[in-house]
Amino acid sequence: MAYLAYSEVTDSVFVLNLPYIKFGMGASKEVGYEARRLGITSALLVVGKRLAETKLAEQVRSSLESQGIRVEVFTDVHIEPEDEAIVEGYRKIKDLRVDGFVALGGGSTIDTAKLLNLLYTYPADLMEYVNRPIGKGASPPGPLKPMIAIPTTAGTGAENTNVAVLDIKRLHVKTGVSNQYLRPSVAIVDPLTTVTMPPMVTASTGLDVLNHAIESITAHPYTARPAVPNPAERPVYAGSTPIGDLFAPVIGWVAKYIRRAYADPYDLEARYYLHLGAGLAGLGFGHAGVHVPHAMAYPIAGLVREWHPPDYDFGYPIVPHGISTAIPAAYAFRYLAPYNDEKF
């Protein structure tokens, strides 16, 4: 009955801001159609250097060009977005003439595209947009350019969220930018894009899905937050909601399929449900938010710089996000369980 609480002291409203989602085997081949439907005529394709050289990237570009869409390519993507790199990336694209963005890659690539879109559409000092108390937490005055996100990892759910995570290098802190306009216009979720993920990447991203699902369901209910005098000041992350609770089956999917996907990258049933679970968990935490494990993960990721996990042979600079959330998760959940026994 927690969701039925009402008073003028606490909030009684939550916002579910959903993207247009296209899911299924081979769905990425339809990116050109979706871009044309959005009115994009000139797109910036944001993709990591290694992925840019693959058949998948060639297929995405060909699909766009088949619809008469001119494609510019941006490959300066860091494994974890950093403020300095984002600002430098914006300087490289600011004079291009594009009217839409396409992100192909994991959560870091999608978040990079979100931030480039933000600065390209509404130029400003990046710290103006970075969340308080690190930045000023300003919201852009209106919608950004249309953006399509094609995730190639089953983990972050970035294709469904209105937040972009980044490192503030000089402060050794991980934070983000959150506002209602960051969410991609279209999410194209194709399980076949994840079969090339190596085992440790599969494990790390899968653990991120697990924590997204558990944390969004066990967060304080949205009715526990203080009332907001101005709707524009309502936080993106509202707390747990009845809608977010509907995605609880994702926890079971991860439990059933993560080991199978780790052992066999071409287990398509496992890839299917992990990718679907990542998207649904993204919808859940995208409006409900996460809590203690993710909060603890940020200093872990921000401070540990010397560990290079297996399968991240391209010189991963920090603890991968899914692993950094998993390290404290069991301890945090064990501590918190008595406070919400029914859900835990």
Short mmCIF file of all heavy atoms in Angstrom, two decimals, residues 207-260:
data_model
loop_
_atom_site.label_atom_id
_atom_site.label_comp_id
_atom_site.label_asym_id
_atom_site.label_seq_id
_atom_site.Cartn_x
_atom_site.Cartn_y
_atom_site.Cartn_z
N LEU A 207 25.60 -8.51 -14.87
CA LEU A 207 25.46 -8.13 -13.47
C LEU A 207 24.88 -6.73 -13.33
O LEU A 207 24.15 -6.44 -12.38
CB LEU A 207 26.82 -8.22 -12.77
CG LEU A 207 27.35 -9.64 -12.55
CD1 LEU A 207 28.81 -9.62 -12.12
CD2 LEU A 207 26.50 -10.37 -11.53
N ASP A 208 25.18 -5.87 -14.27
CA ASP A 208 24.59 -4.52 -14.26
C ASP A 208 23.08 -4.61 -14.45
O ASP A 208 22.31 -3.91 -13.78
CB ASP A 208 25.23 -3.67 -15.35
CG ASP A 208 25.02 -2.19 -15.14
OD1 ASP A 208 24.76 -1.77 -14.00
OD2 ASP A 208 25.15 -1.42 -16.12
N VAL A 209 22.65 -5.47 -15.38
CA VAL A 209 21.21 -5.69 -15.57
C VAL A 209 20.56 -6.15 -14.26
O VAL A 209 19.51 -5.65 -13.84
CB VAL A 209 20.95 -6.74 -16.67
CG1 VAL A 209 19.46 -7.04 -16.78
CG2 VAL A 209 21.48 -6.26 -18.00
N LEU A 210 21.20 -7.12 -13.60
CA LEU A 210 20.66 -7.67 -12.36
C LEU A 210 20.48 -6.57 -11.32
O LEU A 210 19.42 -6.46 -10.68
CB LEU A 210 21.60 -8.74 -11.83
CG LEU A 210 21.18 -9.44 -10.54
CD1 LEU A 210 19.92 -10.24 -10.75
CD2 LEU A 210 22.31 -10.33 -10.02
N ASN A 211 21.51 -5.73 -11.15
CA ASN A 211 21.41 -4.68 -10.13
C ASN A 211 20.44 -3.59 -10.52
O ASN A 211 19.76 -3.03 -9.67
CB ASN A 211 22.80 -4.11 -9.84
CG ASN A 211 23.61 -5.01 -8.93
OD1 ASN A 211 23.04 -5.74 -8.12
ND2 ASN A 211 24.91 -5.00 -9.06
N HIS A 212 20.37 -3.26 -11.80
CA HIS A 212 19.35 -2.30 -12.23
C HIS A 212 17.96 -2.78 -11.81
O HIS A 212 17.14 -2.01 -11.29
CB HIS A 212 19.38 -2.13 -13.76
CG HIS A 212 20.52 -1.31 -14.25
ND1 HIS A 212 20.96 -1.36 -15.55
CD2 HIS A 212 21.31 -0.39 -13.64
CE1 HIS A 212 21.96 -0.54 -15.72
NE2 HIS A 212 22.20 0.07 -14.57
N ALA A 213 17.68 -4.05 -12.07
CA ALA A 213 16.35 -4.58 -11.76
C ALA A 213 16.09 -4.60 -10.26
O ALA A 213 15.04 -4.13 -9.79
CB ALA A 213 16.22 -5.99 -12.35
N ILE A 214 17.04 -5.13 -9.49
CA ILE A 214 16.83 -5.23 -8.04
C ILE A 214 16.73 -3.85 -7.40
O ILE A 214 15.84 -3.58 -6.59
CB ILE A 214 17.96 -6.04 -7.38
CG1 ILE A 214 17.93 -7.49 -7.89
CG2 ILE A 214 17.81 -6.02 -5.86
CD1 ILE A 214 19.09 -8.33 -7.38
N GLU A 215 17.63 -2.95 -7.77
CA GLU A 215 17.67 -1.64 -7.12
C GLU A 215 16.45 -0.80 -7.45
O GLU A 215 15.93 -0.08 -6.59
CB GLU A 215 18.95 -0.90 -7.50
CG GLU A 215 20.21 -1.51 -6.89
CD GLU A 215 21.48 -0.82 -7.36
OE1 GLU A 215 21.59 0.41 -7.18
OE2 GLU A 215 22.35 -1.50 -7.94
N SER A 216 15.98 -0.86 -8.70
CA SER A 216 14.82 -0.04 -9.06
C SER A 216 13.56 -0.52 -8.34
O SER A 216 12.70 0.28 -7.97
CB SER A 216 14.60 -0.05 -10.57
OG SER A 216 14.30 -1.34 -11.04
N ILE A 217 13.47 -1.84 -8.11
CA ILE A 217 12.29 -2.39 -7.45
C ILE A 217 12.33 -2.14 -5.94
O ILE A 217 11.30 -1.93 -5.30
CB ILE A 217 12.20 -3.91 -7.75
CG1 ILE A 217 11.85 -4.11 -9.22
CG2 ILE A 217 11.18 -4.61 -6.85
CD1 ILE A 217 12.05 -5.51 -9.71
N THR A 218 13.54 -2.12 -5.36
CA THR A 218 13.67 -1.98 -3.91
C THR A 218 14.00 -0.56 -3.47
O THR A 218 14.25 -0.32 -2.28
CB THR A 218 14.75 -2.94 -3.37
OG1 THR A 218 16.00 -2.65 -4.02
CG2 THR A 218 14.36 -4.39 -3.63
N ALA A 219 14.01 0.39 -4.39
CA ALA A 219 14.23 1.80 -4.02
C ALA A 219 13.07 2.31 -3.17
O ALA A 219 11.97 1.73 -3.17
CB ALA A 219 14.38 2.65 -5.28
N HIS A 220 13.30 3.40 -2.47
CA HIS A 220 12.19 4.05 -1.75
C HIS A 220 11.06 4.32 -2.73
O HIS A 220 11.31 4.73 -3.87
CB HIS A 220 12.65 5.38 -1.15
CG HIS A 220 13.34 5.25 0.17
ND1 HIS A 220 12.81 4.56 1.22
CD2 HIS A 220 14.54 5.72 0.60
CE1 HIS A 220 13.63 4.62 2.25
NE2 HIS A 220 14.70 5.31 1.90
N PRO A 221 9.81 4.14 -2.34
CA PRO A 221 8.71 4.46 -3.26
C PRO A 221 8.69 5.94 -3.61
O PRO A 221 9.14 6.78 -2.83
CB PRO A 221 7.46 4.06 -2.46
CG PRO A 221 7.89 4.02 -1.05
CD PRO A 221 9.34 3.63 -1.04
N TYR A 222 8.16 6.23 -4.79
CA TYR A 222 8.16 7.62 -5.25
C TYR A 222 7.38 8.53 -4.32
O TYR A 222 7.65 9.73 -4.23
CB TYR A 222 7.62 7.70 -6.68
CG TYR A 222 6.12 7.50 -6.82
CD1 TYR A 222 5.25 8.58 -6.88
CD2 TYR A 222 5.58 6.21 -6.89
CE1 TYR A 222 3.88 8.40 -7.01
CE2 TYR A 222 4.22 6.02 -7.03
CZ TYR A 222 3.37 7.10 -7.08
OH TYR A 222 2.02 6.91 -7.22
N THR A 223 6.43 7.97 -3.58
CA THR A 223 5.62 8.77 -2.66
C THR A 223 6.39 9.14 -1.39
O THR A 223 5.89 9.89 -0.55
CB THR A 223 4.35 8.00 -2.27
OG1 THR A 223 4.71 6.67 -1.86
CG2 THR A 223 3.40 7.91 -3.45
N ALA A 224 7.60 8.62 -1.22
CA ALA A 224 8.41 8.97 -0.05
C ALA A 224 9.24 10.22 -0.29
O ALA A 224 9.85 10.75 0.65
CB ALA A 224 9.31 7.80 0.33
N ARG A 225 9.30 10.68 -1.54
CA ARG A 225 10.12 11.86 -1.84
C ARG A 225 9.38 13.14 -1.43
O ARG A 225 8.15 13.18 -1.45
CB ARG A 225 10.43 11.93 -3.34
CG ARG A 225 11.38 10.84 -3.81
CD ARG A 225 11.85 11.12 -5.23
NE ARG A 225 12.82 10.14 -5.68
CZ ARG A 225 14.11 10.18 -5.41
NH1 ARG A 225 14.59 11.18 -4.69
NH2 ARG A 225 14.93 9.25 -5.85
N PRO A 226 10.13 14.18 -1.09
CA PRO A 226 9.48 15.45 -0.77
C PRO A 226 8.70 15.99 -1.96
O PRO A 226 9.08 15.78 -3.12
CB PRO A 226 10.66 16.37 -0.41
CG PRO A 226 11.78 15.45 -0.07
CD PRO A 226 11.59 14.23 -0.91
N ALA A 227 7.62 16.68 -1.69
CA ALA A 227 6.84 17.31 -2.75
C ALA A 227 7.69 18.37 -3.45
O ALA A 227 8.55 19.01 -2.83
CB ALA A 227 5.58 17.95 -2.16
N VAL A 228 7.45 18.55 -4.74
CA VAL A 228 8.19 19.56 -5.50
C VAL A 228 7.26 20.74 -5.79
O VAL A 228 6.13 20.56 -6.23
CB VAL A 228 8.74 18.98 -6.81
CG1 VAL A 228 9.80 17.94 -6.53
CG2 VAL A 228 7.65 18.37 -7.67
N PRO A 229 7.70 21.97 -5.51
CA PRO A 229 6.84 23.13 -5.77
C PRO A 229 6.67 23.40 -7.26
O PRO A 229 5.68 24.01 -7.67
CB PRO A 229 7.60 24.27 -5.08
CG PRO A 229 9.03 23.82 -5.04
CD PRO A 229 8.98 22.33 -4.89
N ASN A 230 7.64 22.95 -8.07
CA ASN A 230 7.62 23.20 -9.51
C ASN A 230 7.83 21.87 -10.23
O ASN A 230 8.83 21.18 -9.98
CB ASN A 230 8.73 24.20 -9.86
CG ASN A 230 8.78 24.52 -11.35
OD1 ASN A 230 8.08 23.90 -12.16
ND2 ASN A 230 9.58 25.50 -11.71
N PRO A 231 6.92 21.47 -11.13
CA PRO A 231 7.09 20.19 -11.83
C PRO A 231 8.44 20.05 -12.53
O PRO A 231 8.96 18.94 -12.67
CB PRO A 231 5.94 20.19 -12.84
CG PRO A 231 4.91 21.07 -12.25
CD PRO A 231 5.66 22.13 -11.50
N ALA A 232 9.01 21.17 -12.95
CA ALA A 232 10.30 21.12 -13.64
C ALA A 232 11.42 20.66 -12.70
O ALA A 232 12.48 20.24 -13.16
CB ALA A 232 10.65 22.49 -14.22
N GLU A 233 11.20 20.74 -11.40
CA GLU A 233 12.21 20.36 -10.43
C GLU A 233 12.07 18.91 -9.98
O GLU A 233 12.88 18.43 -9.19
CB GLU A 233 12.13 21.29 -9.21
CG GLU A 233 12.42 22.75 -9.53
CD GLU A 233 12.24 23.65 -8.33
OE1 GLU A 233 11.93 23.12 -7.24
OE2 GLU A 233 12.41 24.88 -8.47
N ARG A 234 11.06 18.20 -10.48
CA ARG A 234 10.91 16.80 -10.09
C ARG A 234 12.09 16.00 -10.61
O ARG A 234 12.44 16.08 -11.79
CB ARG A 234 9.59 16.25 -10.64
CG ARG A 234 9.35 14.78 -10.28
CD ARG A 234 7.95 14.31 -10.63
NE ARG A 234 6.96 14.85 -9.70
CZ ARG A 234 6.03 15.75 -10.03
NH1 ARG A 234 5.96 16.22 -11.27
NH2 ARG A 234 5.19 16.19 -9.13
N PRO A 235 12.74 15.20 -9.78
CA PRO A 235 13.93 14.46 -10.23
C PRO A 235 13.58 13.43 -11.29
O PRO A 235 12.47 12.88 -11.31
CB PRO A 235 14.44 13.80 -8.95
CG PRO A 235 13.25 13.74 -8.04
CD PRO A 235 12.43 14.95 -8.36
N VAL A 236 14.54 13.16 -12.16
CA VAL A 236 14.35 12.14 -13.18
C VAL A 236 14.07 10.79 -12.53
O VAL A 236 13.21 10.03 -12.97
CB VAL A 236 15.60 12.06 -14.08
CG1 VAL A 236 15.55 10.83 -14.98
CG2 VAL A 236 15.71 13.33 -14.93
N TYR A 237 14.82 10.49 -11.47
CA TYR A 237 14.63 9.22 -10.76
C TYR A 237 13.65 9.43 -9.61
O TYR A 237 13.96 10.10 -8.63
CB TYR A 237 15.97 8.71 -10.23
CG TYR A 237 16.94 8.30 -11.31
CD1 TYR A 237 18.31 8.49 -11.15
CD2 TYR A 237 16.50 7.72 -12.49
CE1 TYR A 237 19.21 8.09 -12.13
CE2 TYR A 237 17.37 7.32 -13.48
CZ TYR A 237 18.73 7.51 -13.30
OH TYR A 237 19.61 7.12 -14.27
N ALA A 238 12.47 8.84 -9.72
CA ALA A 238 11.40 9.13 -8.78
C ALA A 238 11.37 8.21 -7.58
O ALA A 238 10.78 8.54 -6.56
CB ALA A 238 10.05 9.03 -9.51
N GLY A 239 12.01 7.02 -7.67
CA GLY A 239 11.83 5.99 -6.68
C GLY A 239 10.97 4.88 -7.26
O GLY A 239 10.43 4.99 -8.37
N SER A 240 10.82 3.79 -6.53
CA SER A 240 10.09 2.64 -7.07
C SER A 240 8.64 3.01 -7.34
O SER A 240 8.03 3.82 -6.64
CB SER A 240 10.18 1.46 -6.11
OG SER A 240 9.56 1.76 -4.88
N THR A 241 8.09 2.37 -8.38
CA THR A 241 6.70 2.63 -8.80
C THR A 241 6.05 1.31 -9.17
O THR A 241 6.73 0.31 -9.41
CB THR A 241 6.65 3.55 -10.04
OG1 THR A 241 7.09 2.80 -11.19
CG2 THR A 241 7.53 4.78 -9.87
N PRO A 242 4.72 1.28 -9.26
CA PRO A 242 4.05 0.04 -9.69
C PRO A 242 4.47 -0.39 -11.09
O PRO A 242 4.51 -1.59 -11.38
CB PRO A 242 2.56 0.42 -9.66
CG PRO A 242 2.47 1.55 -8.71
CD PRO A 242 3.74 2.32 -8.87
N ILE A 243 4.80 0.57 -11.97
CA ILE A 243 5.26 0.22 -13.32
C ILE A 243 6.62 -0.46 -13.25
O ILE A 243 6.85 -1.50 -13.88
CB ILE A 243 5.34 1.48 -14.21
CG1 ILE A 243 3.96 2.13 -14.35
CG2 ILE A 243 5.90 1.13 -15.58
CD1 ILE A 243 2.93 1.28 -15.06
N GLY A 244 7.53 0.11 -12.49
CA GLY A 244 8.85 -0.50 -12.35
C GLY A 244 8.78 -1.89 -11.76
O GLY A 244 9.55 -2.79 -12.14
N ASP A 245 7.84 -2.11 -10.85
CA ASP A 245 7.71 -3.43 -10.22
C ASP A 245 7.33 -4.52 -11.23
O ASP A 245 7.59 -5.70 -10.99
CB ASP A 245 6.66 -3.38 -9.11
CG ASP A 245 7.10 -2.55 -7.91
OD1 ASP A 245 8.28 -2.12 -7.88
OD2 ASP A 245 6.27 -2.33 -7.01
N LEU A 246 6.72 -4.13 -12.33
CA LEU A 246 6.31 -5.11 -13.34
C LEU A 246 7.50 -5.80 -13.99
O LEU A 246 7.35 -6.86 -14.59
CB LEU A 246 5.47 -4.42 -14.43
CG LEU A 246 4.12 -3.84 -14.00
CD1 LEU A 246 3.47 -3.13 -15.18
CD2 LEU A 246 3.21 -4.94 -13.47
N PHE A 247 8.69 -5.18 -13.89
CA PHE A 247 9.86 -5.72 -14.56
C PHE A 247 10.65 -6.68 -13.66
O PHE A 247 11.78 -7.06 -13.99
CB PHE A 247 10.77 -4.59 -15.05
CG PHE A 247 10.06 -3.64 -15.98
CD1 PHE A 247 10.15 -2.26 -15.81
CD2 PHE A 247 9.30 -4.12 -17.03
CE1 PHE A 247 9.50 -1.39 -16.67
CE2 PHE A 247 8.64 -3.25 -17.89
CZ PHE A 247 8.74 -1.88 -17.72
N ALA A 248 10.07 -7.10 -12.54
CA ALA A 248 10.74 -8.04 -11.64
C ALA A 248 11.17 -9.34 -12.32
O ALA A 248 12.21 -9.91 -11.94
CB ALA A 248 9.84 -8.34 -10.45
N PRO A 249 10.45 -9.88 -13.33
CA PRO A 249 10.91 -11.12 -13.98
C PRO A 249 12.32 -11.03 -14.57
O PRO A 249 12.95 -12.07 -14.78
CB PRO A 249 9.86 -11.34 -15.08
CG PRO A 249 8.62 -10.72 -14.54
CD PRO A 249 9.10 -9.50 -13.80
N VAL A 250 12.81 -9.81 -14.81
CA VAL A 250 14.17 -9.67 -15.34
C VAL A 250 15.18 -10.31 -14.41
O VAL A 250 16.18 -10.91 -14.86
CB VAL A 250 14.51 -8.17 -15.56
CG1 VAL A 250 15.99 -7.98 -15.88
CG2 VAL A 250 13.64 -7.59 -16.67
N ILE A 251 14.94 -10.25 -13.09
CA ILE A 251 15.87 -10.84 -12.13
C ILE A 251 15.99 -12.34 -12.39
O ILE A 251 17.10 -12.90 -12.41
CB ILE A 251 15.38 -10.56 -10.69
CG1 ILE A 251 15.34 -9.05 -10.43
CG2 ILE A 251 16.27 -11.27 -9.66
CD1 ILE A 251 14.62 -8.67 -9.15
N GLY A 252 14.88 -12.99 -12.64
CA GLY A 252 14.89 -14.42 -12.93
C GLY A 252 15.55 -14.74 -14.26
O GLY A 252 16.24 -15.76 -14.39
N TRP A 253 15.38 -13.87 -15.25
CA TRP A 253 16.01 -14.10 -16.55
C TRP A 253 17.54 -14.07 -16.41
O TRP A 253 18.23 -14.91 -16.99
CB TRP A 253 15.58 -13.05 -17.57
CG TRP A 253 14.13 -13.13 -17.95
CD1 TRP A 253 13.25 -14.12 -17.64
CD2 TRP A 253 13.40 -12.17 -18.70
NE1 TRP A 253 12.01 -13.82 -18.15
CE2 TRP A 253 12.07 -12.64 -18.81
CE3 TRP A 253 13.72 -10.95 -19.28
CZ2 TRP A 253 11.08 -11.93 -19.48
CZ3 TRP A 253 12.74 -10.24 -19.97
CH2 TRP A 253 11.43 -10.73 -20.06
N VAL A 254 18.04 -13.09 -15.67
CA VAL A 254 19.49 -13.01 -15.49
C VAL A 254 19.99 -14.26 -14.77
O VAL A 254 20.99 -14.87 -15.15
CB VAL A 254 19.90 -11.73 -14.73
CG1 VAL A 254 21.41 -11.73 -14.48
CG2 VAL A 254 19.50 -10.49 -15.51
N ALA A 255 19.28 -14.65 -13.72
CA ALA A 255 19.68 -15.83 -12.96
C ALA A 255 19.74 -17.07 -13.85
O ALA A 255 20.62 -17.92 -13.71
CB ALA A 255 18.72 -16.06 -11.80
N LYS A 256 18.82 -17.18 -14.79
CA LYS A 256 18.73 -18.37 -15.64
C LYS A 256 19.73 -18.34 -16.78
O LYS A 256 20.29 -19.38 -17.16
CB LYS A 256 17.31 -18.50 -16.20
CG LYS A 256 17.11 -19.73 -17.08
CD LYS A 256 15.65 -19.86 -17.51
CE LYS A 256 15.44 -21.11 -18.37
NZ LYS A 256 14.02 -21.26 -18.77
N TYR A 257 19.99 -17.15 -17.35
CA TYR A 257 20.69 -17.10 -18.63
C TYR A 257 22.12 -16.56 -18.60
O TYR A 257 22.87 -16.73 -19.55
CB TYR A 257 19.87 -16.28 -19.64
CG TYR A 257 18.58 -16.96 -20.04
CD1 TYR A 257 17.35 -16.42 -19.65
CD2 TYR A 257 18.59 -18.13 -20.78
CE1 TYR A 257 16.16 -17.04 -20.02
CE2 TYR A 257 17.41 -18.76 -21.15
CZ TYR A 257 16.20 -18.21 -20.75
OH TYR A 257 15.02 -18.82 -21.12
N ILE A 258 22.53 -15.88 -17.52
CA ILE A 258 23.85 -15.23 -17.57
C ILE A 258 24.97 -16.26 -17.66
O ILE A 258 25.94 -16.05 -18.41
CB ILE A 258 24.04 -14.28 -16.36
CG1 ILE A 258 25.32 -13.46 -16.54
CG2 ILE A 258 24.06 -15.03 -15.04
CD1 ILE A 258 25.49 -12.35 -15.51
N ARG A 259 24.86 -17.38 -16.96
CA ARG A 259 25.91 -18.39 -17.04
C ARG A 259 25.95 -19.03 -18.43
O ARG A 259 27.03 -19.36 -18.95
CB ARG A 259 25.70 -19.45 -15.97
CG ARG A 259 25.90 -18.94 -14.54
CD ARG A 259 25.58 -20.03 -13.51
NE ARG A 259 25.78 -19.56 -12.15
CZ ARG A 259 24.88 -18.87 -11.47
NH1 ARG A 259 23.73 -18.53 -12.04
NH2 ARG A 259 25.13 -18.49 -10.23
N ARG A 260 24.78 -19.23 -19.02
CA ARG A 260 24.74 -19.82 -20.35
C ARG A 260 25.38 -18.90 -21.39
O ARG A 260 26.15 -19.35 -22.25
CB ARG A 260 23.29 -20.13 -20.75
CG ARG A 260 22.73 -21.36 -20.06
CD ARG A 260 21.26 -21.56 -20.32
NE ARG A 260 20.90 -21.48 -21.75
CZ ARG A 260 19.67 -21.68 -22.20
NH1 ARG A 260 18.68 -21.98 -21.34
NH2 ARG A 260 19.40 -21.59 -23.49
#
